[in-house]
Amino acid sequence: MSENGNVTNDEESSAPHALEVTPSRDAKVGGLSVRRALPTRGRRTVGAWCFVDHMGPESIAPGRSFDVAPHPHIGLQTVTWLFRGAYLHRDSLGSEQLIRAGELNLMTSGRGVAHSEENPGRTSGVMHGVQLWVALPSTSREGAAAFEHLTGLPRLDLENASATVLVGSFAAQESKARHDTEHVGVELDLHGGGTAFALVPSYEYAIIVADGKVLLDGHVITPGQLGYMGAGRDECVLESRGPSRAMLVGGEPFEEKPFMWWNFVARTQDEISDAWRAWTMRDERFAAVASTLDRINVAAPPWLTSTL
Ligand code: MN
């Protein structure tokens, strides 16, 4: 492995994948700084997870807006999970839900949904969390939209750590959250020292670090990096010098090749074009969101501009 984390080993080998560490991209969502760990040029998915944004921690001055106005999604689930702060979720199904830290907000777009994420006006002053997307498989990506909000997620103690299971199964605990593919998402709160836990060898896994730093396979992983472990591992050992927080995502490798543009996850350009037209022309595919904010519109995808 080279200094920058590039791996040159044979990915077809049955031996456990060597750790790949890739930098996140800096982006802004609703004015908040995010580190986008997935997708990157070299990696589109980890299991069915296709998007990993780590937002903050960022202090919010009184009166400052971090709203994300109504916008559409297709072909995915949004998984919003806050460590601090709060959002008000509104969607085209009529849902209006305050998202607090430690509560799972899971929106399944199916063929089409729209939502906003708004400043509820009662944050702690600090926003810190993740928004993750799961690519829906073909069996449900053209299906109905749905929304669920879960509190009291399974928590368990590990050596020198505690874990919260957002989605899927981890260490014999299973979240009730809907999952249309075999995947798992876990918050790991490391207290300092070493923590070992079992992995499913057929799953591929990655971690991001939200607070502190975590030693994995001899690499120090810090916020702003994705540590991709690949498949074929039956155990993960993490070490930290003090309190640290990481998110573990994993799942059966997603065999369908997602094609992503803006807020859409599809398979082809034509599917994306159809979704963009439907949103832009206010087609009934995307119902209205009960928000006072103006909806977000974007210019046509680049492959359409020559025909407009
Ligand atoms: Mn969204």
Side-chain angles (χ1 to χ4, degrees), residues 196-215:
F197 48 86
L199 299 177
V200 178
S202 62
Y203 281 19
E204 56 180 346
Y205 290 93
I207 68 164
I208 63 160
V209 174
D211 284 303
K213 47 181 126 173
V214 174
L215 186 68

Side-chain angles (χ1 to χ4, degrees), residues 7 9-11 13-19 201 217 229-235:
V7 172
N9 71 318
D10 178 10
E11 294 204 16
S13 157
S14 60
H17 199 285
L19 187 75
D217 289 3
M229 290 179 261
R233 296 173 183 238
D234 57 12
E235 187 185 55

Side-chain angles (χ1 to χ4, degrees), residues 29 68-69 71-73 76 78 80 107 114-117 131 133 263:
V29 175
V68 182
H71 60 278
H73 287 290
L76 57 73
T78 59
T80 308
M107 186 180 71
H115 72 148
S116 64
E117 293 150 308
Q131 188 175 84
W133 296 356
N263 294 308

